Amino acid sequence: MKSLNGAKIRGMILRYFLLALGTVIFTLPMIYMISTSLRPNGALYEYPPRFFPKWEALTLENYSYILNQSKFYVNFLNSAFVSLSTITLAAAVSSAMAFVLGKFKLKVNKLIFGFIILTMIIPGTTMIVPQFELATKLNLVNQLWGLIPFYVAWVIPFSTFMIKGFMENIPGEIMEASWIDGASVWTVYTRIALPLASPAIASVSIFNFLTAWEEYPWANTVINDTSKRTLPIAIAGFFGQHQFTQWGYVFAMSVLTLIPVVLIFILCQKFFVQGLTAGSVKG
Amino acid sequence: MRTRTKLLAALLACLMILTVGSAFAEGETVTINFWHHYSAQSAENETLMNVLIPAFEAENPGIKVNAVSHEWAELHDKVLVSAKSNALPDVARCDIAWLPEFQKMGILVALDEEMPDFAEVSGKLLDSAMSTSVISGHNYALALNTNSKIVFYNKAMLEEAGVQVPTTMDEWVEAVKKLSGENANGQQVWGWNEPALAGWNICPFIWSFGGSLTNEDQTVATGYINGPATVKAVETFAELVKEGGITGFNSGDIPMTDGFGTGRYAMMLEGPWKSAELAGAYPDVAYGTAPIPAGEGGSISVLGGEDIAMFNSANKEVAWKFMQFMTSEFAETEMAKCGQIPVNKAALESETVKAADYAPFIEAIQTAKARPTVAAWSEMDNDLTVAMTAVVTGEKTAQEAMDELAAKWDELLK
Amino acid sequence: MITKSRLNRTQLIALLLPGLLLFAAFTVYPIIRLFWMSLCDMSFSSMLTQPFNGIENYKEVFQDPTFWTVFVNSIVYTLITVPGQMAIGLFTAILLNGIKRFSVTFRVINYLPVVTSWVIASLVFRYIFNTEGLLNYFLWKIAGVTSSNIRWLDTRWGGISVAMILGIWKGIGWNMVIFLAALQQVPQDLYEASAIDGCGAWGKFVHVTLPGIQGTILFALIELTIGGFNVFTSIKMITGGKPAHLTDTLLTWMYYKAFSTGKFGYAAALSFVMALSLGLLAIVQFRMMRNRDN
């Protein structure tokens, strides 16, 4: 007869073992990407292929090549501009919408909310043709800032949905007091609702940032000029335009693109989990 | 926590100002948008960005050139879509095979009608090259460069296998078979590389085998693309693919230049730009060149090249200036240094061009044929790739696939 | 609680309006427009003049053999990646739920693929699955599992498999996090009760865990099904639809028709069919979820 304790310890060891194994398999692609970005381009077709480059072959030449191209900074700033504008605008308009929808019983509430749900269940890319036509009519083709209204409109449903849930949970008494004091809707929104909902806003903003930072199909469709490209199209284009497919450069550029995202993720991972689970548990 | 939030907010604000500033900082000059498909890392692109455009801008103060590089297929798609969305550039470097399609869409400027000095400008360029821009009696572009493909072979690999440079298609088949197999590392090697299965790749075989794509008038495909000689060419090619003699058109294959440079592909059919590419990436590879092997139809390569065209939304006066500059002796000579065969008569006589040794290519151009000059070519080309894929994967026989293709093409050619 | 002064009414509208306008113009309008476009002949005309064409576009879509190929591809992709990432994500969550140390570390690392952009992840996978790539070398020369290089990227199911492996790899983290949250809400005493009833680990999983996280499973199912049909960037980057559109999915094929051949009407019809059927599917799933809740 095994003791219960022994079985438990064995169970724990198995758990850690499986988790560690899974994590290793999980991270291999990323490690391989980093290791490839650190080897000279000429060694790409070396035989046998190596997971890690030889120690003496390690080089930063791919990084210095990318960082010496002014294009990379332009693309980086373009991505930053679009993503930051998107999250700022989206936070402003969706928190306002969520406040009204969550705290006031208007006749249009159901209709608006119905549309919000509807757009959440349609894959975004299916709308690319009419959206392209719209962009054409509004002269937003090949305009960097022209990406922003589209991105904001895409993230509004999810953001409003999430923030609304949070707003609904703000106890009524807090606002009640302000109404009695004669505060206006605007005051209650800015002084009470916004500060209280800030964790929810922060969490959706992180998701919105990711969406805008990595968006590819739309940006690739409407942006032409090299100087207006965001990072994803720059990387994809860089890959396509290099007939010898210089993976070292491509991956160096990719690593540099991932750094801000990973940093934000690690610093804000609490908000991440909050945002994800709020949606799923509430349904 | 509070201070951290504030700090983050301040940081965000700074970044925003910085990026907004950079996004809207623009001067007051006429900008002409020029789209091309010189690949990003190529010597051509370097020359364009660092030599030609600065020279043009210095000559023409107040004009700025915004050059946009697209991948070849993407350039075609972008033009097509931009035409629908009124976002066309002023000028583009177009594959000669695209011009009929763009002309039919009504987006190209008839230069001979709109430019008073057209005859003078076009007179400086080769007549044969200028003929690629003529559609129903009008000129829709200026010829920019011309080319054709010849065989590049790895000298060491042929020597080791005891193979002579093939001069006939029968010899070619034998050579491809002998050169394929395994190298000393146990890695697979292929006798021939073909980076795609489109018209640009398959036509030379069809023609050299004595086949054809359509009738002379380009109105009927049945009896031509599914004729016996064409089918034999397709069959022979597919057979070699199945036997492991030809590869390169699969997504997972080693890219052409790398495979040739590292001794995995023994031979390939490529254009004049390849010499510069190989010299840059694989300077140690010893290779030779030869005309495409002759079959029943002779040694027939495919005529390539690019024209420079103006779209009807362009700032015509400025665009015309730029087009003249790009086809000038100076620009063409500079581009000749990196593998673009000039069409400017004066540039052709220059020392640089003579030193570049374009003789084998110019010889191939004499007998090369052009792909069908019809508006539907892009679609036909895609159909051809689909049909060829079905044959090389063994899904259909060459005859079946070509019969189906002929029916489709007949519709498109109507 | 509603104060009905005129000032407040104006302010309410002012708060609602900007978001609503953006949403209506850039998301709702395109959906309606999509339906209209699908009924117009847009192939060679410019964007601005489109003659009415009835159901011709729909006929063309359904009579196109390539449509059925890519339709099957999308279905297979969704049928495999959705349960795949849910199962592995749930399993990881269960493992994580029982440990105390390093839980956050594991969670953060396993979530990293989710925040990696599709473009980058696709290129990495394309590189790994290259015919001459590391994976084939490992399988053949080191592990000895295969006797030649597998042509992952060159065949229909090879290419789709790579996209599916990528899809699962990238989706596990998300599933892990939401299932972990759900697991933590399953009452502990239920487990204890089932232990007394003599349930083993599997019995506990089937009788306690699964019923306890039903809502989350349905939620994930809806979200992931939409995501599965939305697959685009990975296919475009990994195979580009090659060979001969055999690895295209509904959306990459739609995109090709629209932006490479200019057949906007065809693309609109295809998109509309997709949006409609997924919308209906999601409504059915929502209903199921609501019924379970009640």
Side-chain angles (χ1 to χ4, degrees), chain B residues 379-398:
Chain B
E379 212 174 336
M380 290 167 68
D381 203 15
N382 180 52
D383 290 341
L384 176 63
T385 304
V386 172
M388 283 304 300
T389 307
V391 181
V392 299
T393 54
E395 194 191 313
K396 288 175 186 157
T397 68

Side-chain angles (χ1 to χ4, degrees), chain A residues 21-239:
Chain A
L21 186 75
T23 305
V24 168
I25 295 175
F26 235 62
T27 43
L28 280 181
M30 306 320 279
I31 296 171
Y32 192 41
M33 173 178 84
I34 297 168
S35 92
T36 305
S37 74
L38 290 172
R39 66 186 81 189
N41 259 316
L44 284 181
Y45 291 93
E46 65 184 350
Y47 190 86
R50 323 171 60 97
F51 187 77
F52 291 109
K54 283 185 202 140
W55 182 251
E56 61 271 21
L58 278 182
T59 167
L60 286 173
E61 67 179 42
N62 297 319
Y63 287 90
S64 69
Y65 174 83
I66 295 294
L67 291 173
N68 273 325
Q69 284 196 318
S70 54
K71 258 193 291 181
F72 177 75
Y73 299 98
V74 173
N75 298 330
F76 196 95
L77 286 178
N78 287 348
S79 275
F81 166 63
V82 171
S83 314
L84 294 178
S85 310
T86 301
I87 63 171
T88 318
L89 255 173
V93 299
S94 7
S95 67
M97 266 173 93
F99 171 65
V100 177
L101 292 177
K103 280 292 163 198
F104 300 88
K105 294 199 169 55
L106 305 181
K107 280 177 194 149
V108 286
N109 272 11
K110 269 208 161 155
L111 183 76
I112 297 173
F113 205 64
F115 269 111
I116 285 180
I117 297 286
L118 178 76
T119 49
M120 279 170 76
I121 58 182
I122 295 175
T125 319
T126 52
M127 285 183 280
I128 202 162
V129 168
Q131 278 172 336
F132 183 72
E133 186 200 42
L134 184 66
T136 299
K137 283 183 183 159
L138 298 178
N139 254 326
L140 298 179
V141 174
N142 201 22
Q143 301 284 1
L144 182 63
W145 62 269
L147 296 172
I148 298 164
F150 285 94
Y151 289 173
V152 174
W154 291 347
V155 299
I156 280 177
F158 171 74
S159 312
T160 309
F161 182 79
M162 295 273 313
I163 303 173
K164 175 179 166 273
F166 206 87
M167 292 270 186
E168 280 168 345
N169 290 340
I170 298 175
E173 304 89 64
I174 302 180
M175 290 191 187
E176 218 68 49
S178 316
W179 298 131
I180 293 166
D181 290 347
S184 68
V185 167
W186 176 252
T187 318
V188 175
Y189 166 65
T190 49
R191 295 282 165 78
I192 300 176
L194 266 190
L196 285 175
S198 57
I201 296 172
S203 124
V204 295
S205 293
I206 296 169
F207 285 96
N208 295 344
F209 180 83
L210 276 185
T211 309
W213 185 262
E214 78 143 326
E215 203 282 333
Y216 169 74
W218 177 250
N220 187 45
T221 308
V222 289
I223 297 291
N224 298 323
D225 284 1
T226 323
S227 59
K228 291 176 184 158
R229 289 179 189 167
T230 53
L231 282 169
I233 22 177
I235 294 174
F238 190 84
F239 175 73

Side-chain angles (χ1 to χ4, degrees), chain B residues 89-293:
Chain B
D90 299 278
V91 177
R93 175 179 186 251
C94 302
D95 190 310
I96 53 175
W98 298 338
L99 281 182
E101 183 182 8
F102 293 165
Q103 189 273 336
K104 192 181 173 196
M105 292 170 73
I107 55 177
L108 296 179
V109 173
L111 300 173
D112 51 343
E113 284 190 327
E114 302 225 4
M115 300 301 150
D117 54 345
F118 174 78
E120 188 196 326
V121 174
S122 72
K124 293 175 188 159
L125 309 176
L126 286 181
D127 291 340
S128 59
M130 274 308 290
S131 72
T132 59
S133 71
V134 181
I135 301 159
S136 37
H138 288 293
N139 280 89
Y140 288 91
L142 290 178
L144 186 60
N145 57 266
T146 182
N147 61 57
S148 185
K149 299 195 291 181
I150 59 171
V151 176
F152 285 65
Y153 59 88
N154 182 317
K155 281 184 176 164
M157 287 174 79
L158 263 71
E159 207 165 286
E160 204 172 295
V163 173
Q164 295 295 311
V165 181
T167 55
T168 68
M169 276 297 169
D170 293 332
E171 285 174 26
W172 174 73
V173 171
E174 284 315 305
V176 169
K177 284 183 184 166
K178 266 194 200 161
L179 288 163
S180 306
E182 278 188 2
N183 67 10
N185 282 333
Q187 292 172 295
Q188 193 175 358
V189 292
W190 292 266
W192 188 262
N193 169 277
E194 206 50 72
L197 296 175
W200 173 251
N201 312 93
I202 304 304
C203 286
F205 294 99
I206 294 177
W207 290 325
S208 297
F209 270 79
S212 51
L213 282 78
T214 65
N215 62 349
E216 288 284 319
D217 297 338
Q218 309 189 124
T219 51
V220 181
T222 300
Y224 302 91
I225 190 68
N226 60 346
T230 308
V231 171
K232 175 136 192 282
V234 171
E235 240 162 28
T236 312
F237 185 91
E239 212 44 56
L240 285 172
V241 172
K242 284 178 205 159
E243 286 172 22
I246 302 178
T247 201
F249 46 82
N250 299 299
S251 313
D253 286 333
I254 312 170
M256 187 183 209
T257 309
D258 293 314
F260 188 78
T262 53
R264 307 292 297 279
Y265 304 138
M267 300 186 283
M268 59 184 181
L269 198 61
E270 258 293 56
W273 54 84
K274 201 47 112 197
S275 316
E277 264 180 42
L278 284 169
Y282 296 96
D284 302 334
V285 172
Y287 65 89
T289 61
I292 180 170

Side-chain angles (χ1 to χ4, degrees), chain C residues 231-232 235-236 248-257:
Chain C
V231 62
F232 179 87
I235 295 285
K236 202 156 193 258
D248 265 324
T249 54
L250 283 167
L251 283 180
T252 56
W253 173 243
M254 181 279 286
Y255 191 91
Y256 171 82
K257 282 301 250 191

Side-chain angles (χ1 to χ4, degrees), chain C residues 256-270:
Chain C
Y256 171 82
K257 282 301 250 191
F259 295 102
S260 296
T261 71
K263 298 232 163 26
F264 283 82
Y266 179 105
L270 174 50

